[in-house]
Amino acid sequence: MAKAKTEDMTDGGTGGGTDGAAGGATDAGQAAAAGQAAAAGPGVESVLGYEQARDELIEVVRSLEAGGTTLEESLALWERGEELAKVCRHWLEGARARLDAALAEESGES
C-alpha cells in the first residue's frame, strides 16, 4: 500500500485529505503512508508548494490531535509533519530573501 501512496505523491498528491470532513484513522493512515513515501523517495518535497505543504501539515496535526492511531502511525505522522514544516520554512525563507532583496534594491535606487 505504501508503494501506491508513493506513486500518488509523485503525481502531485498530498497524501492526506484537505476537506477536513474525514479526519481520524483514515487520514492518519494516508498521512503515515505519505510520510513513508517521502522517506523512500528524495525530491518529493521539491514538488510541494507552500500552500500544499501547509495544508498537509494541518491535516497531519489534526490526525495527531484526534488520536486513535498506533504508535507506528503516530511516529510516521510526526516525521511527515517535521518534513512538511521544513518545506514551509524553506518557502518562507525564500520569500523573506526576495523581499529583502527588493527592499535593498528599492532603497538603492532612491
Side-chain angles (χ1 to χ4, degrees), residues 10-100:
T10 58
D11 290 337
T14 59
T18 56
D19 61 359
T26 303
D27 283 345
Q30 289 174 342
Q36 293 167 353
V44 172
E45 307 311 338
S46 64
V47 299
L48 287 178
Y50 172 77
E51 289 81 6
Q52 290 173 308
R54 181 203 59 212
D55 291 347
E56 187 179 343
L57 180 57
I58 290 168
E59 290 302 315
V60 166
V61 170
R62 285 182 182 156
S63 295
L64 285 168
E65 288 176 341
T69 58
T70 66
L71 177 60
E72 192 63 34
E73 289 171 335
S74 294
L75 288 172
L77 284 167
W78 180 269
E79 290 169 348
R80 181 63 178 162
E82 290 290 330
E83 293 168 359
L84 292 165
K86 184 190 235 183
V87 170
C88 290
R89 258 191 315 274
H90 174 76
W91 278 105
L92 291 172
E93 288 169 358
R96 170 59 67 190
R98 288 176 62 191
L99 287 172
D100 289 344

